[in-house]
Amino acid sequence: MKLIPEIQSAHGEIQTLRRTIHANPELRYEETQTSDLVAKTLSNWGIEVHRGIGKTGVVGVLKRGNGTRSVGLRADMDALPILELNTFDHRSRNAGKMHACGHDGHTAMLLGAARYLSTRGDFDGTIVFIFQPAEEGGAGAKAMIDDGLFTRFPVDAVFGIHNWPGLGAGHFGVAAGPFMASSNEFRIEVKGVGAHAALPHYGHDPVFTAVQIANGLQGIITRNKKPVDTAVLSITQIHAGDAVNVVPNEAWLAGTVRTFTTQTLDMIESRMHKIVENIAEAYDCSVKLTFRRNYPPTVNSVEETKFATMVMREIVGDENVNDSFEPTMTAEDFSFMLEAKPGCYAFLGNGDGDHRELGHGEGPCMLHNASYDFNDELLPVGSTYWVRLAQRFLARE
Ligand SMILES: [Zn+2]
Ligand SMILES: [Zn+2]
């Protein structure tokens, strides 16, 4: 592994920052202490700081030489509404809030890079450090873009990292093209006419209709979607009725749709309307489908992914970089940044969980688990990646 020695020797300082953030988790758009800490730390290192972009977002700008190229490096800062089960010293002090997705580590790795780059002149151009709020369901990336992130701080490309439990500590996993799915939710309200359960012909049964709808919607995945396109439609809630001998007046269903492309998503949404409305019509019920698009698919651009992969290989060696890592159907709001700019989102292995206390849940302690902890071993790897990525990117023609 080719880590930058100055970054390795600052490990204690960055680890302390990481653990301070871990101990003081804040939920989406409430990251006031965290953004204070980030802003103060950046300006102590002589980096120009801009605040209040996307409510609690922070941007640091570092410029050297006459180079006209610029690069955006992004970390997220928010925590989750989870009661932490860990008992180590840096466990959450805010009951019911927890850094269970490792955004404390993402913030610390980017700070580690900023620390090094602020004292070194060995790059030519502009580095934009993006500390975003509200990745967990709040679309903080979009809020920053809507507040002029890329018009006020133009970048040629933008890059992001997420730690990934189960992937070897310090290994990288990445793929060009769709890497994470779009995330969308729907609710279907079926209104019928209630009746005695023994005399259903006096009513219009919304339960039976809801079940036909649940069944019918899966036909989109098997009959309408191109088999080589990936998508999943899951109905996760069906609610109706209060008694065994009464046909109720209404029923509702809800669920999620995940796709890797917007075209597939458009097709699914429009087919859902047709199927839902026509099935309801067939059984004399009325129906309302509400479909909400949350995060678009996270799509890595080919050129920037090839470039980022080269940087990863330089640091951790060919054998520790998987550039055809299996995409996941989970979602990520960095997708909004990748819609606006070319770039690459990659996973950095968080290891098999040996670094943490044994807690609940099996396996390598996945994200969003109350016994999760970011692996501090990754800090110098992530910081070195950010530094080399920025230097190499700015030096390109
Ligand atoms: Zn998360
Ligand atoms: Zn996350």
Side-chain angles (χ1 to χ4, degrees):
M1 228 181 248
K2 284 190 193 150
L3 300 177
I4 297 172
E6 289 91 332
I7 285 181
Q8 281 181 292
S9 41
H11 184 253
E13 186 186 334
I14 302 302
Q15 175 174 289
T16 302
L17 276 170
R18 201 286 287 180
R19 294 186 174 188
T20 302
I21 300 169
H22 188 95
N24 299 280
E26 296 172 299
L27 302 184
R28 60 188 187 203
Y29 294 122
E30 294 172 0
E31 307 90 340
T32 49
Q33 275 189 51
T34 311
S35 58
D36 280 350
L37 178 71
V38 167
K40 205 180 76 198
T41 307
L42 291 174
S43 55
N44 283 346
W45 293 334
I47 295 172
E48 180 189 314
V49 174
H50 302 263
R51 304 198 58 180
I53 301 153
K55 287 187 187 161
T56 39
V58 181
V59 171
V61 181
L62 196 55
K63 215 177 159 145
R64 292 263 197 284
N66 305 313
T68 54
R69 285 174 65 77
S70 59
V71 63
L73 313 178
R74 172 273 204 176
D76 39 15
M77 302 188 290
D78 58 319
L80 285 155
I82 293 178
L83 183 67
E84 179 157 4
L85 292 182
N86 294 313
T87 55
F88 44 56
D89 286 347
H90 62 279
R91 69 183 178 274
S92 170
R93 289 179 201 144
N94 302 337
K97 300 176 188 175
M98 177 185 174
H99 272 292
C101 205
H103 299 182
D104 50 341
H106 303 166
T107 299
M109 290 191 293
L110 190 52
L111 285 173
R115 182 189 185 280
Y116 173 85
L117 289 161
S118 68
T119 57
R120 304 280 299 222
D122 49 0
F123 68 92
D124 186 17
T126 305
I127 301 173
V128 179
F129 300 96
I130 304 165
F131 294 89
Q132 78 148 74
E135 192 287 320
E136 300 288 358
K142 184 173 187 299
M144 289 190 86
I145 295 167
D146 290 347
D147 268 357
L149 173 67
F150 292 135
T151 46
R152 292 173 63 188
F153 313 100
V155 296
D156 298 315
V158 67
F159 296 86
I161 311 180
H162 206 295
N163 77 97
W164 202 250
L167 177 63
H171 296 197
F172 283 93
V174 68
F179 194 50
M180 296 179 93
S182 70
S183 157
N184 318 277
E185 59 190 72
F186 60 84
R187 185 181 160 101
I188 300 163
E189 286 167 29
V190 183
K191 280 207 170 65
V193 175
H196 193 297
L199 305 165
H201 56 292
Y202 286 127
H204 300 303
D205 187 351
V207 177
F208 180 78
T209 306
V211 171
Q212 304 310 310
I213 288 173
N215 217 4
L217 290 177
Q218 293 304 334
I220 302 173
I221 303 299
T222 67
R223 302 295 86 192
N224 301 136
K225 180 181 71 62
K226 225 162 92 181
V228 293
D229 286 344
T230 306
V232 58
L233 184 158
S234 289
I235 289 169
T236 49
Q237 291 176 281
I238 301 186
H239 295 267
D242 299 298
V244 291
N245 54 359
V246 179
V247 173
N249 284 315
E250 46 203 36
W252 62 269
L253 316 88
T256 182
V257 172
R258 309 285 173 119
T259 70
F260 280 139
T261 68
T262 308
Q263 292 92 309
T264 303
L265 178 59
D266 289 344
M267 182 279 290
I268 292 176
E269 185 180 346
S270 94
R271 287 292 299 152
M272 283 180 73
H273 277 282
K274 194 160 185 183
I275 287 167
V276 162
E277 280 152 24
N278 284 287
I279 289 178
E281 163 80 23
Y283 293 104
D284 297 314
C285 289
S286 65
V287 73
K288 189 175 145 208
L289 163 63
T290 319
F291 195 96
R292 211 176 82 193
R293 297 186 180 203
N294 294 331
Y295 291 172
T298 301
V299 183
N300 285 332
S301 57
V302 173
E303 186 59 28
E304 284 66 25
T305 304
K306 216 186 273 176
F307 162 74
T309 307
M310 187 193 79
V311 177
M312 294 165 195
R313 291 191 201 286
E314 176 189 336
I315 299 165
V316 300
D318 288 359
E319 65 283 10
N320 297 324
V321 179
N322 179 353
D323 65 358
S324 41
F325 197 79
E326 185 175 278
T328 141
M329 297 310 280
T330 54
E332 162 62 53
D333 78 348
F334 189 68
S335 52
F336 288 107
M337 295 197 182
L338 289 177
E339 279 189 335
K341 298 285 171 186
C344 174
Y345 192 69
F347 293 148
L348 178 56
N350 199 49
D352 56 12
D354 281 355
H355 64 285
R356 67 176 180 113
E357 294 176 341
L358 280 179
H360 83 288
E362 293 183 1
C365 191
M366 274 316 290
L367 304 169
H368 296 207
N369 180 307
S371 304
Y372 167 88
D373 193 28
F374 181 85
N375 186 348
D376 283 321
E377 243 187 84
L378 309 187
L379 293 170
V381 184
S383 299
T384 300
Y385 170 68
W386 282 136
V387 168
R388 293 294 183 234
L389 185 92
Q391 289 173 328
R392 306 281 181 265
F393 185 86
L394 297 174
R396 295 173 96 205
E397 291 300 303

